[in-house]
Amino acid sequence: MSQNNMNYLPREKAKELIRELKFPKFFVDVIDGKLNSPLDIYFGCSTLYYLNNEEQEAYRLGNILPLWEGAGGYMQYAYDVNRKDFFTFDIEVGEVSSRYTWDVLIKSVIDTLIEHEYDEYENLEKAIMTVKVLLKDLNLKNFDKLAANIQSDWDNL
């Protein structure tokens, strides 16, 4: 974990950084709370944006871009600007729990959404197609490959 204080990042500055980094506009919509159900359950505006400068600094995470928080509001998903990777941390603990590449992070999100959409009376392919539509604004060029890996994992359960 970085020993630097977290650089204060209000919402407007975060949205500028999202554009600078050429991340999908999807994350601007997350910060603005513009997602519809069920996405709004899994992609909430990070609690960090509700904190002032001193409260953000207390996390000592350095130069980061909080992207979203998961259902329940504890797990935070962020981008480390200096290390150029993604990580998660529990808002209660404040320490980085895991670091990810974009593909690994988004695969876990896709898997969670497929699980949410899957119904024993429907088929997995339909759930995957529903999730693909839900995540269209993320512009995932490799969605089909990630979904195929997930389907393979599910088939081997």
Side-chain angles (χ1 to χ4, degrees), residues 26-43:
F26 178 89
F27 295 113
V28 171
D29 291 343
V30 170
I31 290 172
D32 288 340
K34 292 184 176 177
L35 298 183
N36 295 320
S37 183
L39 288 181
D40 60 343
I41 297 168
Y42 299 100
F43 292 95

Side-chain angles (χ1 to χ4, degrees), residues 31-112:
I31 290 172
D32 288 340
K34 292 184 176 177
L35 298 183
N36 295 320
S37 183
L39 288 181
D40 60 343
I41 297 168
Y42 299 100
F43 292 95
C45 179
S46 174
T47 299
L48 292 173
Y49 292 117
Y50 298 102
L51 306 179
N52 66 29
N53 188 15
E54 293 77 27
E55 291 167 330
Q56 280 190 8
E57 277 185 9
Y59 281 96
R60 304 182 62 83
L61 293 167
N63 191 11
I64 70 163
L65 171 61
L67 293 170
W68 78 88
E69 69 182 23
Y74 292 103
M75 194 54 66
Q76 304 293 308
Y77 298 81
Y79 178 73
D80 187 322
V81 176
N82 297 334
R83 290 179 62 160
K84 296 181 178 11
D85 67 358
F86 299 87
F87 66 94
T88 56
F89 68 97
D90 183 312
I91 196 79
E92 297 289 316
V93 179
E95 292 183 8
V96 173
S97 53
S98 299
R99 290 193 171 268
Y100 306 96
T101 64
W102 171 251
D103 282 357
V104 171
L105 179 63
I106 208 64
K107 181 181 173 192
S108 72
V109 169
I110 292 169
D111 190 32
T112 300

